[in-house]
Amino acid sequence: MTLTLADIRAAHTRIKDRIHRTPVMTSEALDEKAGARLFFKCENLQKIGAFKARGATNAVALLTDEEAKRGVVTHSSGNHAAALARAAKLRGIPAYVVMMSTVPQAKVASVRRYGAEVILCEPTYAARVSTANSVVERTGAVFIHPFNDPRVMAGQGTTALELLEDVPDLTDILCPVGGGGLISGISVAIKSINPEIRVFGVEPKGADDAAQSLAAGRIIPCTAPNTIADGLRGTLGELTFEEIQRHVDGIVTVSETEIVNAMRTIWEVLKIIVEPSGAVGYAPLVDGQLDMPGRRIGIVLTGGNLDLDTLPWMTPAKA
Amino acid sequence: MTLTLADIRAAHTRIKDRIHRTPVMTSEALDEKAGARLFFKCENLQKIGAFKARGATNAVALLTDEEAKRGVVTHSSGNHAAALARAAKLRGIPAYVVMMSTVPQAKVASVRRYGAEVILCEPTYAARVSTANSVVERTGAVFIHPFNDPRVMAGQGTTALELLEDVPDLTDILCPVGGGGLISGISVAIKSINPEIRVFGVEPKGADDAAQSLAAGRIIPCTAPNTIADGLRGTLGELTFEEIQRHVDGIVTVSETEIVNAMRTIWEVLKIIVEPSGAVGYAPLVDGQLDMPGRRIGIVLTGGNLDLDTLPWMTPAKA
């Protein structure tokens, strides 16, 4: 069940007319600050505002007609949910999305806009799983995991194909790690094309299960995540962990301050909206924690969905 | 002194390696909402965060070496100031910028980052002009007006060349009007290439001097502007008014609510940062004031520089 470059290339052919070819942005100011050349792959500007559109679209496209007509179901902290809802809508099939009742309202609204049925559950991973299972039993819909699924991982890996096409001479890639779907796909693609390019995962110190898991050689669950980066609070899956062990050069952990500073700097300088999780790939560089002089660094900005009423540097206006 | 398409094409050749080729963004959701196809030309993602990089770069490039070595001076509410400072830095010459003392701090900081000398003056147009004149006397620097200058107008018009190259079958263009530099250049380019394309200016109801001036057949000064769109509080210039009279199909005025709604919708859906003035081109469509069913509408998003601590829908956090 090992993911291959061929899977990822096939996924790209399959989905490329249904997703945005996202831009790679650069900034003289941020290059100067980092002492390196930075190439921001803007998946926050992707359909549904996150790279998750890639994996979900690939997974739905791969269903047989028989499977497809029963619909799809998932549990997700947000962006995969919107992505699956959109992919299902494009194929004209039902989508059921289990979300924890604590998820930001903006993410619930986004999923509903795509016509999916949202089922809220208690804010625990166990409740997500059992609720999704009951939907499968009731509807016969196909479960599409947010990350631990080769179809999804292959779709996410298409990000790297585009980035490398635009910037062939990268030396490093920084990529946020939550469940590991994105970095799995990216690292398989990158190492298959050019093993000299280093691939680093980045995760919050308050949700450093990937760093712990790599050190321990087995999956360490993320039991009490404490980070503003709500998309990175999950635990690695068996399939994603396997690819990460095989291909990723290391995991960098970042503080909450670095995450917020990275987010705000991207807003101010690149003039684009990233959510906290989406800015994590840039967080090791924003305050100089990681010094990579002269390198050519690809940074994946993963998503831009957040509630604009509760930015980390502000308090909400009184109604 | 009439601006021509040849001037604008020559400007594009001159500046295109020193500016970004900004993307044209689209959104299924916003198309559906408007009942039309919308093409957002993202000058908020331009160098210095605004289209003003185009005109200033063209003007500085056109200086003789003799003129250039004395430097350049301007007065500006912000984006032209940063643009001129950057253009001067690229050519290695001094820049002097007169700014009203009420300008947002983010804009002052941006100008200083490019190495310009900032001279603050009283918040009146008269003080801006007299202070700039005294800088010219003191330094011999060349004055580059923010909009009423054919070199600047030609530079701004290059926006239309790129937009039309990417979307040749546009039917309409919506463009914010402040001093009129951008819409002058754009309307000359568009009407020279395809006179069937309609060009509409958009301005705040609280600063509707362009609408009043067109109706009166002479420039009506913007004496008491009352709008959040701080980049659109100026009065038309003689040169820009002439081109607007000749080429622009009409002026649409928008409310403050429409401006803020347009800004927030762009942030939420396109995931990009526009300042209030920068969102004004979309404001006639956001709440359905202007109904243009089935049209293919180019919307110029002009800038993305604003203080992220004081968004219109929030109150600042207590320190």
Side-chain angles (χ1 to χ4, degrees):
Chain A
M1 204 70 169
T2 306
L3 192 64
T4 68
L5 178 60
D7 296 330
I8 298 167
R9 289 205 200 278
H12 199 237
T13 303
R14 199 174 288 126
I15 69 176
K16 68 178 195 297
D17 294 337
R18 300 176 206 181
I19 60 168
H20 283 305
R21 170 83 185 217
T22 54
V24 174
M25 292 183 70
T26 59
S27 157
E28 294 159 359
L30 297 187
D31 284 359
E32 197 170 315
K33 187 171 152 75
R37 294 290 307 277
L38 309 184
F39 301 90
F40 294 90
K41 177 65 171 168
C42 296
E43 288 297 298
N44 56 327
L45 307 181
Q46 186 52 270
K47 295 280 184 189
I48 72 95
F51 72 95
K52 298 272 186 178
R54 297 175 183 268
T57 305
N58 190 48
V60 168
L62 280 167
L63 296 177
T64 65
D65 287 345
E66 181 60 34
E67 289 170 325
K69 75 178 183 200
R70 297 195 305 269
V72 287
V73 58
T74 197
H75 53 74
S76 160
S77 61
N79 286 329
H80 174 67
L84 192 68
R86 175 177 177 271
K89 190 183 181 192
L90 286 181
R91 190 156 175 183
I93 65 176
Y96 308 93
V97 173
V98 177
M99 299 180 105
M100 299 200 285
S101 53
T102 50
V103 79
Q105 274 305 309
K107 297 197 173 186
V108 176
S110 162
V111 169
R112 290 205 171 118
R113 256 200 309 272
Y114 288 112
E117 183 180 321
V118 174
I119 302 107
L120 293 174
C121 72
E122 293 299 302
T124 67
Y125 190 77
R128 274 168 57 160
V129 172
S130 68
T131 308
N133 285 344
S134 72
V135 174
V136 171
E137 277 168 35
R138 174 164 63 85
T139 62
V142 178
F143 180 72
I144 310 281
H145 193 278
F147 51 85
N148 201 44
D149 180 316
R151 299 167 294 190
V152 172
M153 292 153 66
Q156 320 305 31
T158 62
T159 310
L161 299 183
E162 294 177 9
L163 176 55
L164 219 50
E165 207 171 276
D166 288 357
V167 194
D169 53 353
L170 284 182
T171 60
D172 304 83
I173 289 184
L174 297 177
C175 174
V177 185
L182 178 62
I183 198 167
S184 295
I186 283 181
S187 64
V188 168
I190 292 291
K191 295 295 185 178
S192 305
I193 294 171
N194 180 355
E196 306 261 296
I197 301 174
R198 299 185 302 181
V199 178
F200 296 99
V202 187
E203 66 182 356
K205 286 190 203 301
D208 67 343
D209 57 299
Q212 289 186 37
S213 301
L214 267 186
R218 66 189 166 82
I219 296 174
I220 307 287
C222 189
T223 46
N226 181 14
T227 175
I228 191 175
D230 61 317
L232 306 180
R233 291 176 189 151
T235 297
L236 298 177
E238 288 169 29
L239 300 176
T240 59
F241 181 54
E242 192 182 318
E243 302 298 352
I244 290 170
Q245 279 190 302
R246 191 175 291 139
H247 297 297
V248 170
D249 292 278
I251 306 282
V252 184
T253 60
V254 292
S255 70
E256 296 299 291
T257 302
E258 287 168 327
I259 294 171
V260 173
N261 287 350
M263 176 178 160
R264 181 153 181 167
T265 301
I266 290 164
W267 287 42
E268 285 186 343
V269 179
L270 297 184
K271 310 295 177 195
I272 56 176
I273 297 202
V274 285
E275 56 187 273
S277 308
V280 159
Y282 176 57
L285 297 171
V286 69
D287 294 331
Q289 181 204 148
L290 199 63
D291 192 21
M292 301 171 79
R295 310 283 294 182
R296 297 172 60 83
I297 308 166
I299 295 168
V300 188
L301 302 180
T302 54
N305 295 314
L306 79 168
D307 186 339
L308 293 174
D309 286 322
T310 54
L311 304 183
W313 55 84
M314 309 186 107
T315 53
K318 298 282 182 293
Chain B
M1 205 64 171
T2 306
L3 192 65
T4 68
L5 178 59
D7 297 329
I8 298 167
R9 288 204 199 281
H12 199 238
T13 303
R14 199 174 289 125
I15 68 176
K16 70 176 192 298
D17 293 337
R18 300 174 206 183
I19 60 167
H20 282 306
R21 170 83 184 217
T22 55
V24 174
M25 291 183 70
T26 59
S27 156
E28 294 158 359
L30 297 187
D31 283 359
E32 197 170 314
K33 189 171 151 74
R37 295 290 308 278
L38 309 184
F39 301 90
F40 294 90
K41 177 65 171 167
C42 297
E43 288 297 299
N44 54 327
L45 307 181
Q46 185 53 269
K47 296 281 184 188
I48 71 97
F51 72 93
K52 298 272 186 178
R54 297 175 183 268
T57 305
N58 189 48
V60 169
L62 280 167
L63 297 177
T64 65
D65 287 344
E66 181 59 36
E67 290 170 324
K69 74 178 184 201
R70 298 195 305 269
V72 285
V73 57
T74 196
H75 53 73
S76 161
S77 62
N79 286 329
H80 174 67
L84 192 68
R86 175 178 176 271
K89 189 183 180 191
L90 286 181
R91 191 158 176 181
I93 63 176
Y96 308 93
V97 173
V98 177
M99 298 178 105
M100 300 200 284
S101 52
T102 49
V103 80
Q105 272 307 308
K107 297 196 173 186
V108 176
S110 162
V111 169
R112 290 204 171 118
R113 256 200 310 275
Y114 289 110
E117 182 180 322
V118 174
I119 302 105
L120 294 174
C121 72
E122 293 300 302
T124 67
Y125 191 78
R128 275 168 57 159
V129 172
S130 68
T131 309
N133 285 343
S134 72
V135 175
V136 170
E137 278 169 35
R138 173 165 64 86
T139 62
V142 179
F143 181 72
I144 311 280
H145 192 277
F147 50 85
N148 202 45
D149 180 318
R151 301 167 293 190
V152 172
M153 292 154 66
Q156 319 305 31
T158 62
T159 310
L161 299 183
E162 295 177 9
L163 176 57
L164 219 49
E165 206 171 276
D166 287 358
V167 193
D169 54 352
L170 283 182
T171 60
D172 303 84
I173 290 183
L174 296 177
C175 175
V177 185
L182 179 61
I183 199 167
S184 295
I186 283 183
S187 64
V188 168
I190 291 291
K191 295 295 185 179
S192 306
I193 294 172
N194 180 355
E196 305 262 295
I197 300 173
R198 300 185 301 180
V199 178
F200 296 99
V202 186
E203 66 182 354
K205 287 190 202 302
D208 65 344
D209 57 299
Q212 289 187 37
S213 300
L214 267 187
R218 65 189 168 82
I219 296 176
I220 307 288
C222 190
T223 45
N226 180 16
T227 175
I228 192 177
D230 60 317
L232 306 180
R233 291 177 190 151
T235 296
L236 298 177
E238 287 170 30
L239 300 176
T240 59
F241 181 54
E242 190 184 317
E243 301 299 350
I244 289 170
Q245 278 190 304
R246 190 175 293 140
H247 297 297
V248 169
D249 292 278
I251 306 282
V252 183
T253 60
V254 291
S255 70
E256 296 299 291
T257 302
E258 287 168 327
I259 293 170
V260 173
N261 287 351
M263 175 176 161
R264 181 154 182 167
T265 301
I266 290 164
W267 286 42
E268 285 186 344
V269 179
L270 297 184
K271 310 294 180 196
I272 56 177
I273 299 204
V274 284
E275 57 187 273
S277 308
V280 159
Y282 177 56
L285 296 170
V286 69
D287 294 331
Q289 182 203 150
L290 198 63
D291 192 19
M292 300 171 79
R295 309 284 293 183
R296 297 172 61 83
I297 308 167
I299 295 167
V300 189
L301 303 179
T302 53
N305 295 314
L306 78 170
D307 186 340
L308 292 174
D309 286 322
T310 55
L311 304 183
W313 54 84
M314 310 185 107
T315 53
K318 300 280 182 294

